Amino acid sequence: MGMKKLGRYRLFVLTTFALAFVSLFYMALVEPFRLVVTSWTVATPKWAYDRDLRIVLISDPHAIYPWMSNAHLERVVEAANDLQPDIILLLGDYVATHPFGFQLSPEDGVVPYKKLRAECGVYAVLGNHDLHESVGWPDALERTGIPVLRNQSVRVGCYGLHFWVAGLDELWWGDADLQKTMSDISDRNPVILMMHNPDSFSQTPADVALTVAGHTHGGQISLPIIGPLSFVIPSRYGLRYVYGHIQEDEKDLVVSGGVGSTGLPLRLLRPPELVVITLKKEFSPAH
């Protein structure tokens, strides 16, 4: 190899290593600590009211120091309150079970959620990590006073609105039962269905106004041009329910990218997010 070619080869290797180092630094120490707000508008005739409902989703915090410390959770809670939500929905996986950090106790890990404020209430479902390889998190969350819905529905009244919040139990390690979840609903007021894992959306009843989910992290690592990799998505449907506002069979699903990390504490082009949904009545052209 000539000196010129050797020089180019060395430059290529050094550039490659430099890009890899910068990328890894960003994925591990920059993007996981960002917090963005993503907004979606869901207009549906299944929302019966002229007044819009402002919903904030907090999904997949995966508490573990230093990636999601109590101080970081406090920041997430404060940002959620600043969005002035009508209702806040917590979508599970409050604990991280990976070994890359120091575990928080359940009692410490749920303390920030006590400061959440919304006129129509705060409601929670559980995630797979809360029920598998962790102890005490469901009970600790319930002791905060936040209703933890496990195949249950509650009737909510606020601002003169009346609607149902239904919570499906976790699909993998819980006992998800959609029929039981919906059996509490005793009138025709709108239904908002919470689930951790979006795989149950295909079985969601047609009259549900909105379904919300987390679990997928939006892929957590999304490559330029390629996007998220289907084989790492924790879903039997691959990319079908990976992220965002999904409309299917005249039903609406919003999947949050979450605020924490799982597996490896890395994120790329899918920053931690709070999700704001404006649920509104869809008017016919005659109106």
Side-chain angles (χ1 to χ4, degrees):
M1 183 181 293
M3 292 301 295
K4 184 176 288 188
K5 287 185 178 180
L6 181 60
R8 289 175 179 172
Y9 175 75
R10 287 175 175 173
L11 179 61
F12 172 78
V13 170
L14 288 173
T15 301
T16 300
F17 272 105
L19 287 174
F21 176 80
V22 170
S23 297
L24 186 60
F25 178 87
Y26 177 81
M27 292 167 66
L29 299 176
V30 178
E31 186 152 319
F33 295 96
R34 296 181 60 201
L35 185 63
V36 302
V37 176
T38 303
S39 299
W40 303 98
T41 296
V42 176
T44 172
K46 301 171 193 175
W47 180 249
Y49 300 103
D50 292 340
R51 189 191 190 281
D52 300 346
L53 188 71
R54 186 172 175 84
I55 305 166
V56 166
L57 308 181
I58 302 176
S59 180
D60 300 273
H62 289 288
I64 189 169
Y65 185 87
W67 314 103
M68 184 60 71
S69 64
N70 264 45
H72 195 168
L73 274 171
E74 294 273 5
R75 175 187 169 212
V76 170
V77 165
E78 182 179 356
N81 288 337
D82 287 345
L83 292 170
Q84 300 182 318
D86 296 323
I87 189 169
I88 298 174
L89 305 179
L90 307 179
L91 299 179
D93 275 0
Y94 307 101
V95 56
T97 54
H98 63 69
F100 304 101
F102 300 94
Q103 297 292 340
L104 278 63
S105 72
E107 290 73 19
D108 290 340
V110 301
V111 165
Y113 303 122
K114 296 179 181 180
K115 297 181 180 180
L116 289 169
R117 298 290 179 265
E119 185 68 25
C120 302
V122 181
Y123 301 89
V125 292
L126 299 177
N128 52 295
H129 287 268
D130 307 317
L131 296 171
H132 179 55
E133 297 183 331
S134 64
V135 177
W137 284 81
D139 291 340
L141 187 62
E142 288 182 353
R143 286 194 291 270
T144 66
I146 296 172
V148 179
L149 304 179
R150 303 189 68 175
N151 297 328
Q152 297 167 282
S153 299
V154 294
R155 193 173 188 268
V156 179
C158 56
Y159 303 121
L161 309 175
H162 297 281
F163 58 94
W164 293 86
V165 174
L168 183 67
D169 200 13
E170 206 285 311
L171 183 63
W172 288 358
W173 295 98
D175 184 25
D177 188 331
L178 265 172
Q179 184 174 356
K180 182 179 179 183
T181 303
M182 308 303 288
S183 67
D184 291 330
I185 297 170
S186 58
D187 58 37
R188 298 181 63 83
N189 283 308
V191 178
I192 299 169
L193 176 60
M194 307 167 62
M195 58 180 65
H196 176 68
N197 190 325
D199 280 10
S200 297
F201 178 64
S202 60
Q203 286 83 47
T204 297
D207 56 352
V208 168
L210 171 67
T211 302
V212 294
H215 183 61
T216 66
H217 295 238
Q220 192 165 301
I221 294 176
S222 184
L223 300 179
I225 302 174
I226 297 173
L229 303 176
S230 60
F231 64 87
V232 299
I233 305 299
S235 168
R236 61 179 174 173
Y237 295 107
L239 297 175
R240 180 173 169 184
Y241 301 137
V242 66
Y243 179 72
H245 181 195
I246 297 145
Q247 294 179 296
E248 188 174 280
D249 298 328
E250 299 183 349
K251 300 183 296 185
D252 289 276
L253 167 69
V254 174
V255 180
S256 168
V259 295
S261 302
T262 190
L264 295 173
L266 305 173
R267 277 187 175 258
L268 179 65
L269 302 182
R270 185 66 73 208
E273 66 174 11
L274 290 170
V275 173
V276 181
I277 303 170
T278 302
L279 181 60
K280 63 191 304 177
K281 183 178 181 181
E282 181 180 56
F283 291 94
S284 66
H287 291 269

